Amino acid sequence: MGKILVTIAFAGAGFWLGSYHLIPLWAILLLLAMGTGLWLAAEWMERQEGNDDDQG
């Protein structure tokens, strides 16, 4: 639940900044893509470590 609230808060902040043209839309989308990629990589690494512990 906490991850969802943080995601909503950061998405709202990004759109708020974009509405005032402080940050261009392409930069917001780039940060969103990078954040999603890093989150997916972290989840994948955690699952890999969890599988090693279960086998050992």
Side-chain angles (χ1 to χ4, degrees):
M1 182 70 169
K3 289 181 183 179
I4 293 171
L5 293 176
V6 169
T7 303
I8 291 170
F10 276 103
F15 284 116
W16 178 75
L17 288 171
S19 69
Y20 289 102
H21 302 291
L22 298 175
I23 298 176
L25 180 60
W26 64 265
I28 294 171
L29 294 176
L30 179 66
L31 289 173
L32 176 66
M34 288 174 49
T36 302
L38 289 173
W39 176 70
L40 289 173
E43 287 290 326
W44 179 76
M45 289 171 62
E46 282 184 6
R47 289 177 191 255
Q48 293 297 320
E49 289 177 3
N51 289 340
D52 291 341
D53 291 341
D54 291 341
Q55 293 175 0

